[in-house]
Amino acid sequence: MSAGAATRTKAETRFYWSLRLTLAGLVVELGSLFGLQHPLGFMAFAAFGCTLVALGVVLFFISLFAIPPAAEAPTETE
Amino acid sequence: MSKFLSVEPVAILVMLSMGVIVLLILRPTLIHSPGGRALAVIALFALPVASVRAGFNLHYESTKTTSFCLSCHVMEPYGESLMVADESSLPAAHFQNGRIDRKVACFTCHTQYTLFGDLNAKLNGLTHLWVYYTGQTPERIELYSPYQNRECLYCHAGARRFEEIHVADMPELVSNGIKCMDCHTTAHDVAGASAAEKWKPSIQELLEVRP
């Protein structure tokens, strides 16, 4: 746990989660490209890769628009 | 077809997206500047969406390939039937003589040439995956509906040799009054395919080496 994590706002926490989710989705997509000629490659991409990236993007927009920055207070530590 | 199946540009785009995200994870203070926020929008919206779109196109096109269809074991006899040395076998004659693009041979004949034909074929493919991986593959694989002349005529209609031979039957062929398969009866002879005499090159050679 870092000192930075202790003072993160909700928006920042969501932002960092969106980074992780999107990164995980892209890792799955990259892996699925190696299984391009196999149905499981497509399923991994569609079921996990796309879903994770979509969640990441949605969370990013929530972190941008959901809470006005001035109204935020720092959250608990992670 | 092959231009859609180039993996490298998509992989580079995905890695670029990952690189920018890793940068933001390692240097979180970047987002406090206006330029950093713009970078966040690029990293968490523009690049991932572009990557997923490109990846989807790539996967979608790859699901049309003969190699993809034959990657399921239950399709192996159908792959073998493409190589039998029998001119009367419709799939073999089309595949071996290059009358269809070999790389997308299954899809070319088994999609429906309608507005949502490709989409239906892909949705059916998802059903096939479920059936295959849950061990519910039927003993005898059948088409969802009788084969339509429309699929044959998509390529053959307008071809000189075809029209010269079938000129008298064209109205009935177009209306499905008589079926192409009524005369051209040998489709996939899966029961006899493994024992039948084959054309010499392997199917892998045809799909990977020859154009």
Side-chain angles (χ1 to χ4, degrees), chain B residues 37-96:
Chain B
R37 287 188 199 111
L39 186 66
V41 172
I42 291 169
L44 285 169
F45 178 67
L47 285 175
V49 168
S51 298
V52 167
R53 172 72 201 274
F56 183 82
N57 278 353
L58 194 62
H59 276 285
Y60 185 80
E61 292 300 326
S62 80
T63 62
K64 296 179 181 176
T65 61
T66 308
S67 307
F68 183 88
C69 298
L70 299 183
S71 69
C72 280
H73 297 305
V74 292
M75 285 292 119
E76 282 172 5
Y78 293 85
E80 282 186 8
S81 74
L82 296 175
M83 299 304 292
V84 297
D86 177 5
E87 260 297 307
S88 69
S89 167
L90 277 183
H94 280 76
F95 187 79
Q96 293 171 24

Coordinates of all heavy atoms in Angstrom, one line a residue, chain B residues 37-96:
Chain B
R37 N -4.8 14.1 -19.5 CA -6.2 13.7 -19.6 C -6.5 13.3 -21.0 O -7.2 12.3 -21.3 CB -7.1 14.8 -19.1 CG -7.1 15.0 -17.6 CD -8.1 15.9 -17.1 NE -7.7 16.4 -15.8 CZ -7.3 17.6 -15.5 NH1 -7.3 18.5 -16.4 NH2 -6.9 17.8 -14.2
A38 N -5.9 14.0 -22.0 CA -6.1 13.7 -23.4 C -5.5 12.3 -23.6 O -6.1 11.5 -24.3 CB -5.5 14.7 -24.3
L39 N -4.4 12.1 -23.0 CA -3.7 10.8 -23.2 C -4.6 9.7 -22.6 O -4.7 8.6 -23.1 CB -2.3 10.8 -22.5 CG -1.5 9.6 -22.6 CD1 -1.1 9.4 -24.1 CD2 -0.2 9.6 -21.7
A40 N -5.2 10.0 -21.5 CA -6.1 9.0 -20.8 C -7.3 8.6 -21.7 O -7.7 7.5 -21.8 CB -6.6 9.5 -19.5
V41 N -7.8 9.6 -22.4 CA -8.9 9.4 -23.3 C -8.5 8.5 -24.5 O -9.1 7.6 -24.9 CB -9.5 10.7 -23.9 CG1 -10.5 10.4 -25.0 CG2 -10.2 11.5 -22.8
I42 N -7.2 8.8 -25.0 CA -6.7 8.0 -26.0 C -6.4 6.5 -25.5 O -6.8 5.5 -26.2 CB -5.4 8.6 -26.6 CG1 -5.7 9.9 -27.3 CG2 -4.6 7.6 -27.5 CD1 -4.5 10.7 -27.6
A43 N -5.9 6.4 -24.3 CA -5.5 5.1 -23.8 C -6.7 4.3 -23.4 O -6.6 3.1 -23.5 CB -4.6 5.3 -22.5
L44 N -7.7 4.9 -22.9 CA -8.9 4.2 -22.3 C -10.1 4.2 -23.2 O -11.1 3.7 -22.8 CB -9.2 4.6 -20.9 CG -8.2 4.1 -19.9 CD1 -8.3 4.8 -18.6 CD2 -8.3 2.7 -19.7
F45 N -10.0 4.9 -24.3 CA -11.2 4.9 -25.2 C -10.8 4.7 -26.7 O -11.1 3.6 -27.3 CB -12.0 6.2 -25.1 CG -13.1 6.2 -26.0 CD1 -14.2 5.4 -25.9 CD2 -13.2 7.1 -27.1 CE1 -15.3 5.4 -26.7 CE2 -14.2 7.1 -28.0 CZ -15.3 6.3 -27.8
A46 N -10.0 5.6 -27.2 CA -9.7 5.5 -28.7 C -9.0 4.3 -29.0 O -9.4 3.5 -29.9 CB -8.9 6.8 -29.1
L47 N -7.8 4.0 -28.4 CA -7.0 2.9 -28.8 C -7.7 1.5 -28.4 O -7.7 0.6 -29.3 CB -5.6 3.0 -28.1 CG -4.7 4.0 -28.7 CD1 -3.4 4.1 -27.9 CD2 -4.4 3.6 -30.2
P48 N -8.3 1.4 -27.2 CA -8.9 0.1 -27.0 C -10.1 -0.2 -27.9 O -10.3 -1.4 -28.4 CB -9.4 0.2 -25.5 CG -8.6 1.2 -24.9 CD -8.2 2.2 -26.0
V49 N -10.9 0.8 -28.2 CA -12.0 0.6 -29.1 C -11.5 0.2 -30.5 O -12.0 -0.7 -31.1 CB -12.9 1.8 -29.2 CG1 -13.9 1.8 -30.3 CG2 -13.6 2.0 -27.8
A50 N -10.5 0.9 -30.9 CA -9.9 0.6 -32.3 C -9.3 -0.8 -32.2 O -9.4 -1.6 -33.2 CB -8.8 1.6 -32.6
S51 N -8.7 -1.2 -31.1 CA -8.1 -2.5 -31.0 C -9.1 -3.6 -31.1 O -9.0 -4.6 -31.8 CB -7.3 -2.7 -29.7 OG -6.2 -1.7 -29.7
V52 N -10.2 -3.4 -30.3 CA -11.3 -4.4 -30.3 C -12.0 -4.5 -31.7 O -12.3 -5.6 -32.1 CB -12.3 -4.1 -29.2 CG1 -13.6 -4.9 -29.3 CG2 -11.7 -4.3 -27.8
R53 N -12.2 -3.4 -32.3 CA -12.8 -3.4 -33.6 C -11.9 -4.1 -34.6 O -12.4 -5.0 -35.4 CB -13.0 -1.9 -34.1 CG -13.4 -1.7 -35.5 CD -14.9 -2.1 -35.6 NE -15.2 -2.4 -37.0 CZ -15.6 -1.5 -37.9 NH1 -15.7 -0.2 -37.6 NH2 -15.9 -1.8 -39.1
A54 N -10.6 -3.8 -34.6 CA -9.7 -4.5 -35.5 C -9.6 -6.0 -35.2 O -9.6 -6.9 -36.1 CB -8.3 -3.9 -35.4
G55 N -9.6 -6.3 -33.9 CA -9.5 -7.7 -33.5 C -10.8 -8.5 -33.9 O -10.8 -9.6 -34.3
F56 N -11.9 -7.8 -33.7 CA -13.2 -8.4 -34.1 C -13.2 -8.7 -35.6 O -13.6 -9.8 -36.0 CB -14.4 -7.5 -33.7 CG -15.7 -8.2 -34.0 CD1 -16.3 -9.1 -33.1 CD2 -16.4 -7.9 -35.2 CE1 -17.5 -9.7 -33.4 CE2 -17.6 -8.5 -35.4 CZ -18.2 -9.4 -34.5
N57 N -12.8 -7.7 -36.4 CA -12.8 -8.0 -37.9 C -11.9 -9.2 -38.2 O -12.3 -10.0 -39.0 CB -12.3 -6.7 -38.6 CG -13.3 -5.7 -38.8 OD1 -14.5 -5.9 -38.5 ND2 -12.9 -4.5 -39.2
L58 N -10.8 -9.2 -37.6 CA -9.8 -10.3 -37.8 C -10.4 -11.6 -37.5 O -10.4 -12.6 -38.2 CB -8.6 -10.0 -37.0 CG -7.3 -10.8 -37.4 CD1 -6.9 -10.6 -38.8 CD2 -6.2 -10.5 -36.4
H59 N -11.0 -11.7 -36.3 CA -11.6 -13.0 -35.8 C -12.8 -13.3 -36.7 O -13.0 -14.5 -37.0 CB -12.1 -12.9 -34.4 CG -10.9 -13.1 -33.4 ND1 -10.5 -14.4 -33.1 CD2 -10.2 -12.3 -32.6 CE1 -9.5 -14.3 -32.2 NE2 -9.3 -13.1 -31.9
Y60 N -13.6 -12.3 -37.0 CA -14.8 -12.6 -37.9 C -14.4 -13.2 -39.2 O -15.0 -14.2 -39.7 CB -15.5 -11.3 -38.0 CG -16.9 -11.4 -38.8 CD1 -18.0 -11.9 -38.1 CD2 -17.0 -11.1 -40.1 CE1 -19.2 -12.0 -38.7 CE2 -18.2 -11.3 -40.8 CZ -19.3 -11.7 -40.1 OH -20.5 -11.8 -40.7
E61 N -13.4 -12.6 -39.8 CA -12.9 -13.1 -41.1 C -12.3 -14.5 -41.0 O -12.5 -15.3 -41.9 CB -11.9 -12.1 -41.8 CG -12.6 -10.8 -42.2 CD -13.7 -10.9 -43.2 OE1 -13.6 -11.9 -44.1 OE2 -14.7 -10.2 -43.2
S62 N -11.6 -14.7 -39.9 CA -10.9 -16.0 -39.7 C -12.0 -17.1 -39.5 O -11.7 -18.2 -39.8 CB -10.0 -15.9 -38.6 OG -10.6 -16.1 -37.3
T63 N -13.2 -16.7 -39.0 CA -14.2 -17.8 -38.8 C -14.8 -18.2 -40.1 O -15.5 -19.2 -40.2 CB -15.4 -17.3 -37.9 OG1 -16.0 -16.2 -38.6 CG2 -14.9 -16.9 -36.5
K64 N -14.4 -17.5 -41.2 CA -14.9 -17.9 -42.5 C -14.0 -18.9 -43.2 O -14.3 -19.4 -44.3 CB -15.1 -16.7 -43.4 CG -16.1 -15.7 -43.0 CD -16.2 -14.5 -43.9 CE -17.2 -13.5 -43.5 NZ -17.2 -12.3 -44.3
T65 N -12.8 -19.1 -42.6 CA -11.8 -19.9 -43.4 C -12.0 -21.4 -43.2 O -12.6 -21.9 -42.3 CB -10.4 -19.6 -42.8 OG1 -10.3 -19.9 -41.5 CG2 -10.0 -18.1 -43.0
T66 N -11.6 -22.1 -44.3 CA -11.7 -23.5 -44.3 C -10.9 -24.1 -43.1 O -11.4 -25.1 -42.5 CB -11.2 -24.1 -45.6 OG1 -11.8 -23.3 -46.7 CG2 -11.4 -25.5 -45.8
S67 N -9.8 -23.6 -42.8 CA -9.0 -24.1 -41.7 C -9.7 -24.0 -40.4 O -9.7 -24.9 -39.6 CB -7.7 -23.3 -41.6 OG -7.0 -23.3 -42.8
F68 N -10.4 -22.9 -40.2 CA -11.2 -22.7 -39.0 C -12.3 -23.8 -38.9 O -12.5 -24.4 -37.9 CB -11.8 -21.3 -39.0 CG -12.6 -21.0 -37.8 CD1 -12.0 -20.4 -36.7 CD2 -14.0 -21.2 -37.7 CE1 -12.7 -20.1 -35.5 CE2 -14.7 -20.9 -36.5 CZ -14.0 -20.4 -35.5
C69 N -13.0 -24.0 -40.0 CA -14.1 -25.0 -40.0 C -13.6 -26.4 -39.7 O -14.1 -27.2 -38.9 CB -14.9 -25.1 -41.3 SG -15.7 -23.5 -41.7
L70 N -12.4 -26.7 -40.3 CA -11.9 -28.1 -40.2 C -11.1 -28.3 -38.9 O -10.6 -29.3 -38.6 CB -11.0 -28.4 -41.4 CG -11.7 -28.4 -42.7 CD1 -10.7 -28.8 -43.8 CD2 -12.9 -29.3 -42.8
S71 N -11.0 -27.2 -38.1 CA -10.3 -27.4 -36.8 C -11.1 -28.2 -35.8 O -10.6 -28.6 -34.8 CB -9.9 -26.0 -36.2 OG -11.1 -25.3 -35.8
C72 N -12.4 -28.3 -36.1 CA -13.3 -29.2 -35.2 C -13.1 -30.6 -35.8 O -13.3 -30.9 -37.0 CB -14.7 -28.8 -35.2 SG -15.1 -27.4 -34.2
H73 N -13.0 -31.6 -34.9 CA -12.8 -33.0 -35.3 C -13.9 -33.5 -36.1 O -13.8 -34.3 -37.0 CB -12.5 -33.9 -34.1 CG -11.2 -33.5 -33.4 ND1 -10.0 -33.5 -34.1 CD2 -11.0 -33.2 -32.1 CE1 -9.1 -33.1 -33.2 NE2 -9.6 -32.9 -32.0
V74 N -15.1 -33.1 -35.7 CA -16.3 -33.6 -36.4 C -16.4 -33.2 -37.9 O -17.1 -33.8 -38.7 CB -17.6 -33.2 -35.7 CG1 -17.8 -33.9 -34.4 CG2 -17.7 -31.7 -35.6
M75 N -15.6 -32.2 -38.2 CA -15.6 -31.7 -39.6 C -14.6 -32.4 -40.5 O -14.5 -32.2 -41.7 CB -15.4 -30.2 -39.6 CG -16.6 -29.4 -39.2 SD -17.9 -29.5 -40.4 CE -19.2 -30.2 -39.4
E76 N -13.7 -33.2 -39.8 CA -12.6 -33.9 -40.6 C -13.1 -34.7 -41.8 O -12.6 -34.6 -42.9 CB -11.8 -34.7 -39.7 CG -10.8 -33.8 -38.9 CD -10.1 -34.6 -37.8 OE1 -10.2 -35.9 -37.7 OE2 -9.3 -34.0 -37.0
P77 N -14.2 -35.5 -41.6 CA -14.6 -36.3 -42.8 C -15.1 -35.3 -43.9 O -15.0 -35.7 -45.1 CB -15.8 -37.1 -42.3 CG -15.6 -37.1 -40.8 CD -14.9 -35.9 -40.4
Y78 N -15.6 -34.2 -43.6 CA -16.1 -33.2 -44.6 C -14.9 -32.6 -45.3 O -15.0 -32.4 -46.5 CB -17.0 -32.1 -43.9 CG -18.3 -32.7 -43.4 CD1 -18.3 -33.3 -42.1 CD2 -19.4 -32.7 -44.2 CE1 -19.5 -33.8 -41.7 CE2 -20.6 -33.2 -43.7 CZ -20.6 -33.8 -42.5 OH -21.8 -34.3 -42.0
G79 N -13.8 -32.4 -44.6 CA -12.6 -32.0 -45.2 C -12.0 -33.0 -46.1 O -11.6 -32.7 -47.3
E80 N -12.1 -34.3 -45.7 CA -11.6 -35.4 -46.6 C -12.4 -35.5 -47.9 O -11.9 -35.7 -48.9 CB -11.7 -36.7 -45.8 CG -10.6 -36.9 -44.8 CD -10.6 -38.3 -44.2 OE1 -11.4 -39.1 -44.7 OE2 -9.9 -38.5 -43.3
S81 N -13.7 -35.2 -47.7 CA -14.6 -35.3 -48.9 C -14.3 -34.2 -50.0 O -14.7 -34.4 -51.1 CB -16.1 -35.2 -48.5 OG -16.4 -33.9 -48.1
L82 N -13.6 -33.2 -49.6 CA -13.2 -32.2 -50.5 C -12.0 -32.7 -51.4 O -11.8 -32.1 -52.5 CB -12.7 -30.9 -49.8 CG -13.7 -30.2 -49.0 CD1 -13.0 -29.0 -48.2 CD2 -14.8 -29.6 -49.8
M83 N -11.4 -33.8 -51.0 CA -10.2 -34.2 -51.7 C -10.4 -35.5 -52.5 O -9.5 -36.1 -53.1 CB -9.0 -34.5 -50.7 CG -8.6 -33.2 -50.0 SD -8.2 -31.9 -51.0 CE -6.7 -32.5 -51.7
V84 N -11.6 -36.1 -52.5 CA -11.9 -37.3 -53.2 C -11.7 -37.1 -54.7 O -12.1 -36.1 -55.2 CB -13.2 -38.0 -52.8 CG1 -13.3 -38.3 -51.4 CG2 -14.4 -37.0 -53.2
A85 N -11.2 -38.2 -55.3 CA -11.0 -38.1 -56.8 C -12.3 -38.5 -57.5 O -12.3 -39.6 -58.1 CB -9.8 -39.0 -57.2
D86 N -13.3 -37.7 -57.4 CA -14.6 -38.0 -58.0 C -15.2 -36.8 -58.5 O -15.6 -35.9 -57.8 CB -15.5 -38.6 -56.9 CG -16.9 -38.9 -57.4 OD1 -17.1 -38.8 -58.6 OD2 -17.7 -39.3 -56.6
E87 N -15.2 -36.7 -59.9 CA -15.7 -35.5 -60.5 C -17.2 -35.2 -60.2 O -17.6 -34.1 -60.4 CB -15.5 -35.6 -62.0 CG -14.3 -34.8 -62.6 CD -14.3 -33.3 -62.3 OE1 -15.3 -32.7 -62.7 OE2 -13.4 -32.8 -61.7
S88 N -17.9 -36.3 -59.9 CA -19.3 -36.1 -59.6 C -19.6 -35.5 -58.2 O -20.7 -35.1 -58.0 CB -20.1 -37.4 -59.8 OG -19.7 -38.3 -58.8
S89 N -18.6 -35.5 -57.4 CA -18.8 -34.9 -56.1 C -18.7 -33.4 -56.2 O -17.7 -32.8 -56.5 CB -17.7 -35.4 -55.1 OG -17.7 -34.6 -54.0
L90 N -19.8 -32.8 -55.9 CA -19.9 -31.3 -56.0 C -18.8 -30.6 -55.2 O -18.1 -29.7 -55.7 CB -21.3 -30.8 -55.6 CG -22.4 -30.9 -56.6 CD1 -23.6 -30.3 -56.0 CD2 -22.0 -30.1 -57.9
P91 N -18.7 -30.8 -53.9 CA -17.7 -30.1 -53.1 C -16.3 -30.4 -53.6 O -15.4 -29.4 -53.7 CB -17.8 -30.7 -51.7 CG -19.1 -31.4 -51.7 CD -19.4 -31.8 -53.1
A92 N -16.0 -31.6 -54.0 CA -14.6 -32.0 -54.5 C -14.3 -31.3 -55.8 O -13.2 -30.7 -56.0 CB -14.5 -33.5 -54.6
A93 N -15.3 -31.3 -56.7 CA -15.1 -30.6 -58.0 C -14.9 -29.1 -57.8 O -14.0 -28.6 -58.5 CB -16.3 -30.9 -58.9
H94 N -15.6 -28.5 -57.0 CA -15.5 -27.1 -56.8 C -14.1 -26.8 -56.1 O -13.4 -25.8 -56.5 CB -16.6 -26.5 -55.9 CG -17.9 -26.3 -56.6 ND1 -18.7 -27.3 -57.0 CD2 -18.5 -25.2 -57.1 CE1 -19.8 -26.8 -57.7 NE2 -19.6 -25.5 -57.7
F95 N -13.8 -27.5 -55.1 CA -12.6 -27.3 -54.3 C -11.3 -27.5 -55.1 O -10.4 -26.7 -55.2 CB -12.6 -28.1 -53.0 CG -11.5 -27.8 -52.1 CD1 -11.6 -26.7 -51.2 CD2 -10.4 -28.6 -52.0 CE1 -10.6 -26.4 -50.3 CE2 -9.4 -28.3 -51.1 CZ -9.5 -27.2 -50.2
Q96 N -11.3 -28.7 -55.7 CA -10.1 -29.1 -56.4 C -9.8 -28.3 -57.7 O -8.7 -28.1 -58.1 CB -10.1 -30.6 -56.8 CG -10.1 -31.5 -55.5 CD -10.4 -32.9 -55.8 OE1 -10.2 -33.4 -56.9 NE2 -10.9 -33.7 -54.8

